[in-house]
Amino acid sequence: MSYGETRTYLGRSQTKIHRINGEESWQDSIDARRTVREHAEEWAFTPFSAAQQTAARKDMPLTDRAQAVPSESHGPYSG
């Protein structure tokens, strides 16, 4: 079984996984495998088809990442 695209980040092996609505996420490889195994209808190691992504966005719109992740100059740990 292929686990898709991988990288080493801060000394840890990570794998990119794809959500049915088109979003992508880098996770530690063990967590990525667990996510895909336990939620195969929502996550995969390869992108879902364009038709599947379009249909999924009706019920699961893309996350506005700018709102979800604070910038480096804002947030509780900025100096």
Side-chain angles (χ1 to χ4, degrees):
M1 172 178 219
S2 172
Y3 292 117
E5 189 177 348
T6 61
R7 71 179 182 186
T8 300
Y9 182 72
L10 298 176
R12 299 190 322 235
S13 174
Q14 293 190 330
T15 302
K16 183 190 284 188
I17 57 174
H18 303 267
R19 197 172 187 192
I20 193 167
N21 68 351
E23 295 174 340
E24 299 174 341
S25 175
W26 284 99
Q27 294 185 359
D28 286 348
S29 294
I30 193 166
D31 296 328
R33 289 191 297 270
R34 181 180 302 126
T35 298
V36 170
R37 182 182 68 237
E38 293 178 4
H39 305 283
E41 68 287 342
E42 184 178 354
W43 293 94
F45 294 113
T46 57
F48 288 88
S49 71
Q52 288 173 306
Q53 290 180 29
T54 301
R57 285 188 194 124
K58 292 177 184 172
D59 296 323
M60 185 187 309
L62 293 173
T63 302
D64 181 358
R65 303 285 294 177
Q67 298 296 324
V69 180
S71 70
E72 292 180 6
S73 62
H74 297 86
Y77 301 108
S78 61

